[in-house]
Amino acid sequence: MTTQQQPQTAQHSFHSVKASSDSKHDLSNPPEHVSIAESVGNPAYVDADIVIPVYNECEQLADSVIALMRFLSSSRHSRFLAQSQPSYFPLYSWNIVIADNASTDDTWPIAASLAWQYPRFIRAVRIPAKGRGRALKLAWGESHAKVRAYMDVDLSTDVRLTDVLVNSILRGQAEVASGCRLLDESHVTRSAKREFISRSYNTLLRTTLGVTFKDAQCGFKAISARAARFLLPKIQDNEWFFDTELLTLAQTYGLPTYIFPVRWVEDAGTTVDIPDTIRKDLEGIKRMRHRLATSLI
């Protein structure tokens, strides 16, 4: 069911480069004076924190979080039966973390209510600035979990694959894991327009940055605690290019990366501003290409 993607030979080595703030190659984000403004619940020492970054998602937030919680709370046997190609993954301890980044609707009150209602399973953080990348940096950065994962609130990727995502890192198979919608084994339902944009973008990444992964933007990723400490200070983007930068840096430093096929269904109600995202992605590619060319990684 899963496919291992081997990283290409890297200019730098994850195992030999010291991940510290005083590294001469460290390009940590300049201080923005943005931090978690409010939280319900505290980081727990669990196997996996599963972050759901949200912005103005009051309509589907509760249903999505409850659906994910029910799956993660289900028994090993029921999860085995739910898989199309079942495997007995070990169960793991977890928290769902709702990361609200500057919502202007009722998203935060709903997130806080869920965290109060299910304190063993859910916590919520409010970040007073927009940006999925920023939300993940802050939520992953304060985490005590062995694995820091995230998925989109629309649950476009089948939640039953969460076991693959988390266990690929817990079992030492990889430091970074990501679902991929463009593998032959993937089952994807989306519009021709979105399919064309996705394939064009990933082709551009391979030709300009020399990356080998096929799907940078699938909203279903995880990293180990060690990779988080090493990579997060080096990721400059705070928005949608965060995912591309994460995978590119992982490849550059030779982090073992696990890429696997997914079952994915497009959310017809997505609020992503495609033209704005494309513009910012192109800016990100230009910046990343400069960093790679001048060894500023």
Side-chain angles (χ1 to χ4, degrees):
M1 177 181 179
T2 55
T3 302
Q4 178 78 35
Q5 176 175 308
Q6 299 293 340
Q8 67 181 28
T9 302
Q11 179 180 356
H12 307 284
S13 172
F14 172 59
H15 302 287
S16 62
V17 176
K18 182 181 178 183
S20 64
S21 60
D22 59 355
S23 169
K24 67 179 180 179
H25 292 307
D26 185 26
L27 291 177
S28 302
N29 291 329
E32 294 183 328
H33 307 294
V34 175
S35 60
I36 293 173
E38 189 175 355
S39 61
V40 179
N42 297 310
Y45 289 90
V46 292
D47 290 326
D49 267 348
I50 301 169
V51 178
I52 301 180
V54 288
Y55 171 72
N56 287 353
E57 297 287 358
C58 65
E59 292 186 4
Q60 61 181 334
L61 177 59
D63 288 343
S64 294
V65 170
I66 295 300
L68 176 60
M69 184 176 68
R70 285 176 176 168
F71 168 75
L72 293 171
S73 300
S74 62
S75 68
R76 180 184 289 108
H77 179 68
S78 64
R79 284 150 84 159
F80 173 85
L81 294 176
Q83 299 295 324
S84 58
Q85 295 183 345
S87 176
Y88 275 114
F89 288 109
L91 297 183
Y92 45 88
S93 58
W94 50 271
N95 267 183
I96 297 170
V97 184
I98 305 169
D100 174 26
N101 47 293
S103 292
T104 57
D105 62 3
D106 288 332
T107 293
W108 173 245
I110 293 171
S113 177
L114 288 167
W116 283 115
Q117 188 174 359
Y118 302 101
R120 290 179 54 203
F121 305 116
I122 301 171
R123 62 188 177 92
V125 297
R126 184 178 67 82
I127 300 157
K130 288 179 63 176
R132 181 171 75 177
R134 178 181 287 106
L136 291 174
K137 287 178 187 178
L138 291 171
W140 281 356
E142 74 158 8
S143 173
H144 296 322
K146 298 175 184 177
V147 176
R148 291 94 190 267
Y150 97 88
M151 62 182 64
D152 291 334
V153 67
D154 56 21
L155 303 185
S156 291
T157 303
D158 190 337
V159 296
R160 293 175 295 180
L161 294 170
T162 307
D163 287 347
V164 179
L165 183 68
V166 171
N167 277 295
S168 62
I169 295 177
L170 281 180
R171 294 184 299 176
Q173 188 174 2
E175 299 284 349
V176 177
S178 180
C180 179
R181 297 163 294 184
L182 300 179
L183 294 174
D184 292 340
E185 304 93 329
S186 297
H187 299 278
V188 174
T189 302
R190 64 176 165 183
S191 66
K193 176 182 177 181
R194 292 287 296 274
E195 181 77 7
F196 174 77
I197 291 173
S198 178
R199 290 187 179 276
S200 298
Y201 177 69
N202 285 283
T203 298
L204 181 62
L205 291 179
R206 291 193 293 274
T207 57
T208 58
L209 301 182
V211 299
T212 57
F213 51 82
K214 294 184 177 180
D215 186 5
Q217 294 176 310
C218 183
F220 201 71
K221 290 182 173 65
I223 60 177
S224 67
R226 182 169 70 150
R229 289 190 295 270
F230 182 79
L231 288 177
L232 291 182
K234 302 177 186 300
I235 298 176
Q236 295 183 332
D237 193 77
N238 288 318
E239 299 185 47
W240 296 101
F241 193 72
F242 174 92
D243 293 63
T244 301
E245 200 165 347
L246 171 66
L247 291 182
T248 302
L249 288 172
Q251 177 178 301
T252 300
Y253 281 103
L255 276 69
T257 300
Y258 190 67
I259 306 294
F260 58 94
V262 295
R263 292 183 291 275
W264 190 91
V265 178
E266 180 180 353
D267 175 18
T270 181
T271 58
V272 175
D273 185 336
I274 293 178
D276 183 63
T277 301
I278 291 174
R279 178 182 62 80
K280 291 178 179 177
D281 282 342
L282 292 175
E283 292 174 354
I285 291 172
K286 181 179 179 180
R287 184 183 70 251
M288 200 72 202
R289 188 176 183 183
H290 174 71
R291 291 177 68 188
L292 292 170
T294 54
S295 299
L296 291 176
I297 296 298

